[in-house]
Structure formats: C-alpha cells, structure tokens
C-alpha cells in the first residue's frame, strides 16, 4: 500500500511539473490596448494613435497592427514589428486616408506572436467615412489583339476615349486612394499603373514572356499594394510608386492564377504547369515561407474575407458551389449550390453578395439564412459591378454594357461597343 501511495505521489508530482511546463509553452500573449478607447469615434483624415501593452511568459517575437471592417476584412496594411521581449509597449499610427471607408463599426486588429503561439485581438472603434464622389465608369475594351482602348462613361452616360494601351490583356483593377488604374497583360502587355489625373502611365513592369508562355498570370490590387503572379512560380507585390515590396516563391512548376490578400495573409489558387492540378497556398504577408499548401478539387472564381474565414465562390465541373474555407485546418464547408456554373461574385450591402452565374444574377445572403435567389435572368454575363451610392448595377457582356436600377432590377441604359469589353471599373474621387 505504501509503495502504491509513493508511486501515486511521484506520478502526480511529475504530471504537475509537466503540466506547468506545457502551460508555459502554450501560453498566449496578453494584449491591453491603452489608446484609443473602445468605440471611440474617428473620421476620414484622422490619425489613430494605437498604444498597447503586451506581455507574455516567454519572449514575444512579433506584433502586427491593422484596421479591419465589421466583416474583419483588412482595410489598412499590416504594420509588423519584430521583438524579443516578454513585456512590450508598442506604438502605431493608422492614417484614415482610404477612400473606400464607409461609416460604421471597425476594429483595430492586433496579433502578437511568441515562439509557439499567437493572440489575435479586435478592438472596436467607430469611423465616419468620406462621402465619395462617383466620377463615372471605365470600360476596358480590346481595340486589337495587341492593343486596348480605355473608355470613360461619365455620370450622364456619355462615353469618350480616355487612353490607349499597347499589348494584350490579362486583367485590370483600380485603386481610388492613389487614383491609379492598373492594367496587366499576359504575353505582350506590361503591368502598368495609369495616373487617372494625368492620363499617363505612372510606372510599369516590363513583360518578359518567352515564346508562347505568358509572363503574367494574375493580378490583385488592394489599398496599398499591387500583387501579380508570374511565370517563374512567383508572386510579387509592388507599392504604388512601382517599387518591388516583396516576393513569394511557389514550390514546383506552377503559376498563381487567383490571388487574395487579407487579414495578414496572402492566399493563392495555383495550377501546376504539368497536369493542371489546382492547389491552394497561403503565406503570411511578411514571410516568403508558405504556411500551408494543398490540392483542392475546385476552381475558385471569387473569394472574400468574412468573419474570420474565407467565403469562396467556386466551380466543380459545371456546378457552382459556395464554401467557407477555414484557413487554420484547411477545410471547406459547403454552404450552398448555385443552379449553374459561377462566373464571378461581388459583395454589396453586407451580408449580401451578387453571384453571377451562366443563367443570370443571384443574390446570396451569407448570414445564417444562407439564402440564394435569382434577380436577373440573362445568359452571357461576364462581369458586374454595383454602386451603392447611386444604386446602379453595371452588367458586362461581350460587346455590351447594361445598367440596371436597384433594388427593382430594371434595365435603364444600354451601351453597345464595336470592340470586345473585357472589364469595368467604378471611379471615385474626394
């Protein structure tokens, strides 16, 4: 009996010691935000002074600070600082100069990491956004196989030439904060940033295609960076002065054909050069080492950050599917199926999304209702954009632009182009 008691005591002591060690290892940093106050109000043009005390039982190695919206999607770039201390008093400034900021609830997102764990903290604030002025709509068209015409439709529907760009077309996007229209080619077109105020190309990255192999494969533009996928298994990011900011290497021979950057991570759907296998890879924005890299059974058409997960609109064969992707355990949760294949999706009036399918436009409610219903029955739609300020829907077909009113979904205007239309972009200014 004595031996049994002694053994039990020794076992209990050893267990307590090991448990104590494990608690130290698993301990997450404690974050205490000193300024701003919770739900403090700010307006466009203000500077938010973020002061926080962060402590841990083991040294903290890095702290990142950014601003996210009510859906927890990043609206300011991450500010990342390296440390090697158990107690940190950190200071950051966030300038509210993003023209996309609308009035409402926002959060200061702080992530503190030690050697084995991390802590994510969302500090609520209120922001009064700027009243954006809608200048009009850019219509990108192919003037030839080796040239693009950028047309501009003003607020009363008059279309006029804006700019000619040499080379073929891959993708384009707009950044209203820097007043830049970014256009990217594939085999012959450069990556170019057009100054919307001067109508000149502010900077460009030369296309280095080889024979029939495209050089650029994808384009993604956020509030402060331009990301592009290149032929040599690489993703590059440029700032809006045209300086190379960072690059991410993809293992093996493959290219990134769909990029999303949000919530301190870079996500890319890639395709193998040989075999065409689809994969999903993710990086931290400040690290070239991949976090996860795995095959996926679908082709992603559009994706967005929402409530700590990725909302993914994808196709499996001819079937459209809507998923939540959990980036931590790499799992997809099926939310809904669409009646036909998905072309693209775009958010509007959260938590709603317009989903363009091959048989028309649907409204998808991403809340617990998870509803999907048709609002426009029409084939041949290639793209659409929505302006909440003027309550208009712009629908792109091969050679036609159609404008619908919202929320009654009635067609109010039509523009027919002699050239193929490849993209639409809403232009805002202060």
């Amino acid at each position: 009996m004595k031996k049994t008691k002694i053994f039990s005591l020794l076992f209990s002591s050893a267990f307590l010691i090991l448990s104590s060690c494990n608690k130290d290892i698993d301990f997450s940093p404690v974050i205490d935000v000193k300024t701003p106050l919770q739900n403090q109000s700010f307006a466009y043009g203000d500077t938010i002074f973020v002061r926080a005390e962060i402590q841990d039982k083991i040294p903290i190695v890095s702290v990142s600070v950014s601003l996210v919206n009510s859906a927890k999607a990043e609206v300011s770039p991450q500010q990342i600082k390296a440390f090697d201390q158990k107690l940190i008093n950190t200071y950051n400034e966030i300038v509210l100069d993003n023209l996309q900021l609308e009035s409402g609830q926002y959060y200061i997102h702080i992530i503190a990491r030690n050697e084995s764990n991390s802590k994510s903290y969302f500090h609520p604030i209120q922001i009064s956004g700027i009243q954006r002025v809608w200048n009009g709509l850019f219509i990108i068209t192919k003037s030839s196989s080796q040239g693009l015409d950028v047309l501009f439709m003003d607020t009363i529907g008059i279309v006029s030439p804006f700019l000619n760009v040499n080379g073929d077309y891959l993708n384009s996007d707009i950044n209203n904060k820097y007043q830049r229209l970014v256009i990217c080619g594939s085999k012959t077109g450069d990556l170019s940033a057009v100054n919307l105020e001067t109508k000149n190309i502010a900077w460009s990255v030369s296309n280095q295609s080889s024979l029939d192999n495209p050089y650029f494969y994808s384009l993604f533009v956020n509030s402060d960076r331009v990301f592009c996928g290149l032929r040599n298994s690489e993703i590059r990011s440029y700032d809006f002065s045209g300086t190379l900011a960072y690059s991410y290497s993809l293992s093996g021979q493959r290219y990134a054909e769909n990029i999303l950057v949000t919530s301190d991570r870079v996500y890319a759907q890639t395709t193998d050069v040989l075999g065409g296998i689809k994969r999903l890879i993710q990086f931290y924005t400040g690290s070239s080492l991949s976090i996860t890299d795995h095959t996926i059974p679908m082709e992603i058409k559009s994706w967005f950050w929402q409530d700590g997960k990725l909302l993914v609109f994808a196709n499996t064969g001819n079937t459209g599917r809507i998923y939540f992707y959990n980036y931590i355990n790499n799992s997809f949760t099926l939310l809904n199926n669409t009646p036909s294949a998905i072309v693209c999706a775009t958010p509007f009036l959260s938590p709603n999304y317009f989903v363009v399918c091959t048989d028309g436009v649907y409204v998808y409610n991403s809340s617990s209702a998870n509803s999907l219903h048709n609002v426009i029955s029409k084939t041949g739609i290639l793209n659409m954009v929505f302006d909440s300020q003027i309550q208009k829907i712009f629908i792109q077909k091969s050679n036609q632009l159609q404008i619908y009113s919202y929320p009654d979904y009635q067609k109010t205007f039509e523009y027919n182009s002699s050239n193929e239309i490849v993209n639409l972009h809403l232009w805002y200014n202060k």
Side-chain angles (χ1 to χ4, degrees), residues 4 44-45 65 84 99 103 119 142 147 160 163 174 211 220 228 246 273 303 312 318 347 360 396 414 417-418 426:
T4 303
Y44 176 84
V65 177
D84 187 19
L99 291 179
S103 298
K119 178 67 172 291
K142 287 185 179 181
S160 58
L163 182 73
I174 194 168
L211 299 175
F220 176 83
C228 59
Y246 215 86
V273 174
W303 45 357
V312 178
N318 293 322
Q396 170 199 330
E414 184 172 290
S417 171
S418 57
L426 295 165

Side-chain angles (χ1 to χ4, degrees), residues 395-414:
I395 286 180
Q396 170 199 330
K397 301 187 77 175
S398 180
N399 290 77
Q400 193 177 76
L401 166 68
Q402 297 178 345
I403 301 178
Y404 285 73
S405 57
Y406 176 85
D408 56 356
Y409 303 106
Q410 298 297 310
K411 188 168 72 170
T412 60
F413 184 83
E414 184 172 290

Side-chain angles (χ1 to χ4, degrees), residues 183-226:
I183 301 177
C184 185
S186 58
K187 294 181 181 179
T188 60
D190 296 334
L191 171 65
S192 302
V194 178
N195 185 324
L196 297 180
E197 296 169 345
T198 65
K199 299 185 181 182
N200 295 319
I201 294 177
W203 56 266
S204 64
V205 178
S206 297
N207 195 316
Q208 300 178 27
S209 61
S210 175
L211 299 175
D212 289 331
N213 297 318
Y215 185 62
F216 298 109
Y217 281 94
S218 55
L219 175 71
F220 176 83
V221 177
N222 67 3
S223 60
D224 285 279
R225 292 285 186 270
V226 175

Side-chain angles (χ1 to χ4, degrees), residues 64 66 72 74 76-78 80 109 111 113 118 120 220 222 227 235 248 259-268 280-287 289-293 303 305 308-310 325-330:
S64 66
S66 63
K72 307 298 174 63
E74 201 170 273
S76 78
Q78 281 203 1
I80 304 175
H109 185 201
I111 303 174
R113 297 184 179 87
S118 65
S120 185
F220 176 83
N222 67 3
F227 295 81
I235 299 171
Y248 309 85
I259 300 171
L260 175 67
V261 183
T262 185
S263 187
D264 89 328
R265 299 197 181 204
V266 177
Y267 301 88
L280 198 158
I281 188 171
Q282 56 176 317
F283 303 88
Y284 289 121
T285 50
S287 173
L289 297 176
S290 63
I291 307 168
T292 59
D293 190 356
W303 45 357
W305 181 260
K309 298 178 182 177
L310 292 184
Y325 172 68
N326 188 326
Y327 67 94
I328 297 175
N329 60 16
N330 304 316

